[in-house]
Every structure is written in C-alpha cells, then in structure tokens.
Amino acid sequence: MVKIAFGNYNDSVSAASIKAYLAEFIATLLFVFAGVGSVISYNKLTTDAALDPAGLVAVAVAHAFALFVGVSMAANISGGHLNPAVTFGLAVGGNITILTGFFYWIAQLLGSTIACLLLKFVTGGLAVPTHGVAAGLTGFEGVVMEIVITFALVYTVYATAADPKNGSLGTIAPIAIGFIVGANILAAGPFSGGSMNPARSFGPAVVSGDFSQNWIYWVGPLIGGGLAGLIYGDVFIGSHDPLPVSEDYA
C-alpha cells in the first residue's frame, strides 16, 4: 500500500535539498519562459486571436521541447519535476515527502512567476496569456479534461522515471515526458488550454492579475497527478520500496 510521509524538517533544508529547490526554480523558469513565450510570439506574429492548427502545433512543440530540456537539466539534482502536480503525484507514491514537496512547490511557482515577469519586460509589456476553458465549456468540463491529461503525464513520469524496476533510462524518460505533454496540448489545447501544471498557469495569472479560472488548473492537475501516483504506486510498483529521498527525488 502506498504510504505518504510528512518528512523531517532538517532533511528538507539540507544542502542537497536546497540545491534541488534551486534546480526546480531554474528549470521551471526556463520551461515557462519558453512555453508562455511561444504563445506570446504566436500572438505577435498573427492578427487572428484564435489559435489556428499551425499555431497549436507550434505551441505544443515548444512546450514539449522545453520540458524535455528542463527535465533533463534538473533530473540528476531534483528529479526534474517542474510541476506541482508531478510533485504531488510522486508524494502520493512515497517518492518524496510532503514537506520537501511543499518547498518544491514554492520553487516551481516562483520560477513560473519570474519567467512571466521577464517575458512582460523583454517583450515591451505585451500581454501574458492565461489559461482558460474555451467558450461553451464549463469549469467542470475543464477540470475533467485536466484530470485526464495530467493523469497521463504523471503516469508517464512513473512508468519511465519513478518505477524502481526500470533502473536508469537515461534520456528516454525526459523524451517521453516531453512527448506526452506535447500530445496532450494538441488534444486539450483548444478546450482547457492543456496546462497539466499549476505552476505553468500560476505565473501568467499573477503577472496578468487574472485568477478567474486559475482554480481549474489546480484542482484538475492535482487530482489527476494524485490518481496516477496512487494507481501506479499500488498496482505496478506494489511491494517495491520507494526511491530514497537522497537519490533522484530529493
């Protein structure tokens, strides 16, 4: 049975943990800068406010590439979460303590917010787009969409990076994680925005001052990530011991 551990404060403020938080901050900042920046660039280059198919593909590819790089650069230090929903899903599966995960959240949210502030500055004050459900859809429908696609993301993280039976998969895990994010944006982008990541939605909301639908991108991803951690941890990892805190998932 999966066990959730609160953790020890001294472990969560150790030198290795602080390095992990810094790695999460930097990697999340760079990921959000590229992801949100791709949307701003698209809006700059077109007069059509609606995202056309080519624009959707470009944004999905930008997010996939940026996440692949972000996960790769942080994997050996923090595990390369870059996402509070991933951190929460791994906590449900016993791969990270709740206390350490809380500090991960702070680093991820700060990284996203700083990235969006930088984008606002370097683009001459252009609007930072926020996530929101498409016209005609309800908030509940958006939540369900985010649950499904975030489940797919965190399940992929478990299957490629957090399952102790896999050993080291090298670059396969970051590639697979980037691919599932790109594919999910293609599927969900026109409907829920395809966030899968509370931090990715939080930074733009802070900088734009628009939190009207931000709750969707906390409720949906956290439920989806938690379910993935619960199911993969119980069914497929089963009796295997969780990864030690001092290794990949500090």
Side-chain angles (χ1 to χ4, degrees):
M1 188 70 179
V2 174
K3 295 181 179 180
I4 299 176
F6 180 78
N8 181 279
Y9 178 78
N10 290 332
D11 291 337
S12 296
V13 295
S14 66
S17 294
I18 292 173
K19 289 180 182 178
Y21 308 147
L22 181 60
E24 285 293 305
F25 170 80
I26 294 172
T28 306
L29 187 156
L30 297 178
F31 164 63
V32 174
F33 188 91
V36 177
S38 69
V39 181
I40 295 175
S41 294
Y42 172 81
N43 292 337
K44 173 75 172 177
L45 295 172
T46 180
T47 57
D48 185 1
L51 192 63
D52 63 20
L56 176 62
V57 171
V59 169
V61 169
H63 280 79
F65 283 177
L67 188 59
F68 161 60
V69 173
V71 171
S72 297
M73 69 172 63
N76 292 330
I77 304 170
S78 66
H81 299 190
L82 285 68
N83 183 341
V86 170
T87 300
F88 181 67
L90 290 168
V92 169
N95 292 278
I96 185 172
T97 65
I98 294 295
L99 185 57
T100 298
F102 174 74
F103 287 116
Y104 268 50
W105 278 24
I106 293 175
Q108 293 156 357
L109 296 176
L110 281 175
S112 177
T113 302
I114 297 299
C116 292
L117 287 171
L118 287 171
L119 282 168
K120 184 85 171 177
F121 175 74
V122 299
T123 60
L126 290 180
V128 176
T130 60
H131 277 128
V133 298
L137 296 182
T138 66
F140 177 73
E141 290 168 330
V143 166
V144 173
M145 177 69 85
E146 290 294 319
I147 289 173
V148 174
I149 61 177
T150 309
F151 178 91
L153 166 60
V154 178
Y155 192 93
T156 300
V157 170
Y158 264 96
T160 60
D163 191 331
K165 298 189 295 296
N166 287 337
S168 176
L169 292 180
T171 59
I172 297 299
I175 290 173
I177 293 166
F179 277 6
I180 192 61
V181 165
N184 281 342
I185 290 175
L186 290 175
F191 304 101
S192 71
S195 172
M196 297 164 275
N197 187 336
R200 167 62 180 81
S201 300
F202 180 80
V206 170
V207 174
S208 67
D210 181 8
F211 285 89
S212 59
Q213 298 191 55
N214 192 246
W215 66 273
I216 294 171
Y217 305 102
W218 283 93
V219 175
L222 291 180
I223 292 175
L227 286 173
L230 189 64
I231 292 173
Y232 200 100
D234 269 348
V235 176
F236 298 108
I237 295 180
S239 61
H240 280 261
D241 293 328
L243 295 179
V245 169
S246 61
E247 294 185 5
D248 286 342
Y249 294 94

